[in-house]
Amino acid sequence: MKKTDEAKPMSGDAKTGGGPAKSGGSVKSGGSAGKKFSRDRLLLAVAGPVLALVVAVLLTSVVLLASGKSPFEPYQLMLEYAGNADIQVLIINQAGSYYLAALAVAVGFRMNLFNIGVDGQYRLAAMAAALVGANVGLPGPLHIALIVIVAMLVGAFWAGIAGILKTTRGVSEVVSTIMLNAIATSLIAYLILPAQFGVQPKGSNNLTTGDLPSSAWFPGLHVSDMAGDIYGFVFVAIGCGVAYWLVLGRTRFGFDLRATGASESAAAASGVDAKRMVLTSMLISGAVAGLAGMPMLLGDAHTYSLDFQTGIGFTGITIALLGRNNAVGIAFGALLVAFLDKTASTLDYNGYEKEIATIMQGLIVISVVVAYETVRRYGLRRQQRKVGEELAAAARTTTTREEVAV
């Protein structure tokens, strides 16, 4: 990812392949080369995910074939199942949580940080927010705002621990966030006990934080009585994607963050406090991770319990990789993984193991790494060759003009 960013300036150099053209006025040629490089970058950006998906499908088909099953029927069954309106709503709702988790991971990736603790941050934030929401009475909008703010603060605090350890003691964020995931799991299990803050419903072995009052329910978009509602927080997730794109791609802060991720020493030489950017990035990543549980908490469950969904943070890593840390790419990745999750249940009813979808997700991760590296190397060679051709053409033009002038 970092190397891909480093390759971008080469297209800028290519545009000035008309540098010598100042004297001859072949600006048109340089502009046309710039457009070609823009198209090339777009094609290469799309080629990575497409190649990864194709490879993942092929490998999954090989696994099905080796087990004596049809290598094509499972995909047909899943696509047909996804045609039902209620399944489509489930896919969109699940994609909202996946999208927020992937954005949290992507913020770290753009800073060259691997926040593998998104899962712990999101679960601890959801539990704390549910606990506060169930025990505080406020008017609707204020109640929802309080829950969301608590979730963001708790997520940022938990990620900030790893950020402080990295900036002050040099502890790898990978190690610290993995350990913090385990600590978060144990802390949640302790706090949700009836002897602490938990509630055990009558006739159930489950433990919850208590039900949120209706004032804390986030209104959704009603599709139909059969399909149900799309969580209102899904649209907040879309807004977070727009904010991610604007802040990281269109602001000075975003440039400093990406520059620090590319080279801390170079960023420091330009006046950026690298350690401060590391800590800030971890805090933002944790705050976004805290939002990942809000679609489910405010839109459906209205409580945090022992069966609250886990693993979203790790799935977010897959989606961020598949989407290449791009807001739109991550959205497509979230929809794809949600599709695999929600349509896998139909395989059970048709003689196939639903774990096929899980196998495909794992193969997507492996394929992403291989495909992106292959596409990156091909793109660099192609770009270097085109730059060489432009420079050679400009040199020939200059030589010809000098000969004419003589």
Side-chain angles (χ1 to χ4, degrees):
M1 283 167 287
K2 182 171 74 177
K3 292 184 179 177
T4 302
D5 289 337
E6 290 172 350
K8 290 181 181 177
M10 294 187 66
S11 62
D13 293 339
K15 290 180 183 179
T16 61
K22 273 186 177 179
S23 60
S26 73
V27 176
K28 184 176 180 182
S29 160
S32 132
K35 289 179 182 177
K36 286 180 184 177
F37 281 129
S38 297
R39 287 195 297 269
D40 286 348
R41 285 202 303 271
L42 178 61
L43 289 173
L44 290 172
V46 173
V50 171
L51 181 59
L53 289 177
V54 170
V55 172
V57 169
L58 289 176
L59 291 176
T60 305
S61 299
V62 170
V63 172
L64 288 168
L65 199 59
S67 61
K69 301 292 182 66
S70 169
F72 306 111
E73 188 180 16
Y75 309 125
Q76 180 184 353
L77 293 171
M78 293 168 76
L79 286 171
E80 290 176 354
Y81 193 55
N84 299 319
D86 56 335
I87 302 303
Q88 292 170 3
V89 170
L90 289 176
I91 290 172
I92 293 172
N93 287 339
Q94 186 65 71
S97 294
Y98 283 164
Y99 188 61
L100 289 167
L103 286 180
V105 175
V107 170
F109 278 161
R110 295 304 292 268
M111 181 62 199
N112 202 24
L113 296 171
F114 194 175
N115 181 10
I116 205 171
V118 167
D119 200 67
Q121 294 152 21
Y122 120 81
R123 288 187 291 111
L124 187 62
M127 190 276 296
L131 191 60
V132 171
N135 292 280
V136 173
L138 288 172
L142 291 178
H143 205 163
I144 294 172
L146 175 64
I147 292 173
V148 171
I149 290 171
V150 169
M152 294 180 69
L153 290 176
V154 173
F157 168 75
W158 207 245
I161 296 174
I164 291 173
L165 289 174
K166 184 174 181 65
T167 54
T168 59
R169 310 302 299 174
V171 178
S172 168
E173 73 280 1
V174 175
V175 175
S176 59
T177 50
I178 288 175
M179 295 298 101
L180 285 167
N181 275 344
I183 295 172
T185 299
S186 299
L187 186 59
I188 291 170
Y190 170 74
L191 293 177
I192 207 171
L193 290 172
Q196 304 304 324
F197 302 102
V199 176
Q200 184 171 6
K202 289 184 178 180
S204 172
N205 291 326
N206 199 6
L207 297 176
T208 76
T209 54
D211 294 332
L212 295 177
S214 58
S215 59
W217 296 7
F218 201 102
L221 177 63
H222 184 69
V223 178
S224 67
D225 292 338
M226 179 70 70
D229 297 345
I230 295 175
Y231 299 154
F233 216 85
V234 168
F235 300 99
V236 176
I238 295 173
C240 288
V242 174
Y244 169 86
W245 174 75
L246 286 173
V247 172
L248 266 70
R250 296 292 184 273
T251 66
R252 173 59 188 268
F253 171 78
F255 175 80
D256 288 345
L257 186 146
R258 289 182 285 111
T260 307
S263 173
E264 289 190 15
S265 57
S270 65
V272 178
D273 188 338
K275 289 187 176 181
R276 182 178 179 183
M277 289 303 299
V278 169
L279 180 57
T280 302
S281 299
M282 287 300 295
L283 290 173
I284 295 174
S285 179
V288 178
L291 295 176
M294 296 300 99
M296 173 64 74
L297 178 65
L298 300 179
D300 183 34
H302 305 307
T303 187
Y304 184 91
S305 61
L306 294 179
D307 54 8
F308 205 80
Q309 187 174 6
T310 61
I312 288 180
F314 298 109
T315 305
I317 297 173
T318 301
I319 295 169
L321 288 172
L322 183 60
R324 303 196 73 172
N325 301 323
N326 177 278
V328 176
I330 292 173
F332 283 113
L335 287 170
L336 172 64
V337 175
F339 163 81
L340 293 174
D341 280 351
K342 298 305 179 184
T343 59
S345 57
T346 190
L347 298 177
D348 265 346
Y349 301 109
N350 290 277
Y352 291 91
E353 292 75 14
K354 65 179 180 180
E355 284 74 20
I356 291 172
T358 306
I359 292 172
M360 181 175 285
Q361 289 182 27
L363 290 174
I364 285 174
V365 176
I366 298 173
S367 303
V368 159
V369 176
V370 176
Y372 284 0
E373 181 62 17
T374 302
V375 170
R376 185 190 70 81
R377 291 186 180 184
Y378 170 78
L380 284 176
R381 287 196 300 269
R382 180 182 174 85
Q383 208 171 51
Q384 289 165 357
R385 185 172 62 252
K386 288 198 172 186
V387 170
E389 290 172 356
E390 289 292 329
L391 292 175
R396 284 195 299 269
T397 302
T398 303
T399 302
T400 303
R401 285 181 183 142
E402 287 176 351
E403 291 173 351
V404 171
V406 171

